[in-house]
Amino acid sequence: MTKPSLVLPRPGTVEPDDALQIVKAPSEAAFVSTFGTLLPPASYLQTPKGTAAYYKFQPPSPASTHGEVPINRVLFVHGVQTPAIGLQPLATALSPLFPHAQCVLVDLWGHGLTDTPIVPHEPALFHELLENLLAHLEWEDAHFIGYSFGASTVASFAAIHPQRVSSMVLVAPAGLLHSTRFEPQKRYLEGGEGLEEQAQAWILDYLEGGPLTVPPDWKDRVERGEVVAEAVRDWQMKEHEGHLASVVGIFRDGGVLDRHDEFARAATMGINTVCILGELDDLCTSSDLEHVGMHNIAVVSQVGHGVVRQKVPEVTQLIEHFWNEF
């Protein structure tokens, strides 16, 4: 008999006294044996909701003792599906340019080496994780780089906790899609008995732009030090028992859709912000951002939503220019 798919509860359906269940993440050894050591060794944050993995890039130079270093703490927040390793190329390119900066990447709930708590995957869950991580690192604030769903999470976090956000780089942000765009698939967004397998298939197909296809040469590319995001996503689907449920929960409730008010509020907080878009990305456009008050926008030509990995030098240069203005 096929094991039924894990389905996360929806917001407003969990009672305070409900016992928390957690789906444990795969081991670091299993991940490293497949994808190598592109990331620093994982560190772990223990929380009441489960264990989250994060990765610290050690700064090449110690912090200056002669005054404040403008870029000193940087937190990278990935998108839905591809975990922290997907931002490794960008972090690796940026870190040497700001040698005093501590750079940290985190695996969000249900991704990479981070557990899946069986609770609604709403924005507050991810805000709490960021707050817990900042406290664990003993960081009062940080410069945030968010990609896709991670950018939506950073923007909504900044709207509530502006004192924690020194600046934000929002790359190809999710969150500004209207759920009305998916009216024909409304039943999949709402979910319900008998619909979950169809809903999962539709959400994955939408996020991938079709069936997930892993390049046949992915192992050779990994051996050469590349991040093959399709292979990472496939590995999670097979090895992380909570991953699919987290992906579906994030798409429905986590901040991929209808976060216009949060972006607009973040835009009023006086936080230095730059938005970086791919010219061919239909998930977010310059006009979408301008409508919510985000006006410092850079567009990278001839690339779509994958701009963060497909155009690393261009994205790095834009962030370097943005930070050097501080």
Side-chain angles (χ1 to χ4, degrees):
M1 181 179 294
T2 303
K3 184 179 179 180
S5 298
L6 173 65
V7 179
L8 296 178
R10 304 301 300 281
T13 63
V14 177
E15 297 297 329
D17 56 351
D18 286 351
L20 175 65
Q21 296 178 291
I22 296 170
V23 178
K24 300 304 291 181
S27 70
E28 182 176 18
F31 190 83
V32 168
S33 69
T34 307
F35 298 108
T37 56
L38 289 176
L39 287 171
S43 300
Y44 291 94
L45 169 66
Q46 308 293 333
T47 85
K49 299 288 196 315
T51 300
Y54 65 95
Y55 311 87
K56 295 188 289 186
F57 280 71
Q58 294 299 329
S61 302
S64 172
T65 58
H66 303 289
E68 182 71 17
V69 177
I71 308 301
N72 51 2
R73 298 177 292 269
V74 183
L75 184 56
F76 292 76
V77 186
H78 66 78
V80 66
Q81 291 188 288
T82 306
I85 196 172
L87 294 179
Q88 181 271 348
L90 180 61
T92 301
L94 271 174
S95 184
L97 300 177
F98 296 88
H100 303 298
Q102 303 173 67
C103 296
V104 170
L105 289 73
V106 60
D107 283 332
L108 298 175
W109 297 121
H111 289 71
L113 306 183
T114 291
D115 298 341
T116 295
I118 310 304
V119 296
H121 275 35
E122 53 195 330
L125 178 70
F126 297 94
H127 297 164
E128 180 184 40
L129 176 59
L130 297 182
E131 277 273 57
N132 288 339
L133 181 56
L134 290 173
H136 176 73
L137 294 170
E138 298 183 337
W139 289 4
E140 292 184 3
D141 51 35
H143 299 271
F144 282 77
I145 298 177
Y147 168 62
S148 191
F149 163 67
S152 174
T153 300
V154 168
S156 57
F157 180 78
I160 302 169
H161 303 289
Q163 74 282 1
R164 296 293 227 167
V165 183
S166 301
S167 73
M168 20 178 214
V169 178
L170 307 179
V171 184
L176 298 179
L177 283 175
H178 291 277
S179 56
T180 53
R181 172 174 174 173
F182 303 108
E183 193 64 31
Q185 297 85 18
K186 183 178 180 181
R187 60 195 182 120
Y188 296 150
L189 292 177
E190 294 175 346
E193 190 172 351
L195 281 177
E196 285 305 316
E197 288 191 7
Q198 296 174 61
Q200 291 166 2
W202 173 73
I203 288 170
L204 287 177
D205 189 75
Y206 175 78
L207 291 172
E208 287 289 344
L212 173 59
T213 303
V214 180
D217 64 342
W218 73 269
K219 290 185 179 180
D220 293 334
R221 291 169 58 186
V222 167
E223 287 184 4
R224 294 197 297 267
E226 292 185 41
V227 174
V228 184
E230 297 88 349
V232 176
R233 295 197 291 269
D234 183 65
W235 183 88
Q236 288 178 124
M237 293 290 293
K238 295 171 179 174
E239 303 297 332
H240 194 319
E241 293 184 1
H243 175 66
L244 175 57
S246 283
V247 169
V248 172
I250 287 170
F251 189 82
R252 283 174 168 163
D253 303 314
V256 173
L257 308 172
D258 298 328
R259 296 297 156 183
H260 301 77
D261 289 347
E262 287 87 343
F263 273 79
R265 196 175 309 125
T268 68
M269 293 297 175
I271 299 168
N272 286 325
T273 302
V274 65
C275 303
I276 301 173
L277 306 179
E279 176 189 20
L280 308 178
D281 191 356
D282 64 355
L283 186 69
C284 181
T285 66
S286 295
S287 61
D288 292 331
L289 288 163
E290 288 166 355
H291 284 154
V292 294
M294 300 278 183
H295 299 297
N296 187 15
I297 302 166
V299 178
V300 180
S301 63
Q302 298 182 332
V303 68
H305 194 64
V307 60
V308 77
R309 284 184 293 275
Q310 295 172 12
K311 297 286 187 177
V312 171
E314 291 86 345
V315 174
T316 299
Q317 185 177 43
L318 288 166
I319 297 173
E320 180 186 19
H321 176 73
F322 171 62
W323 281 349
N324 279 337
E325 292 182 337
F326 291 2

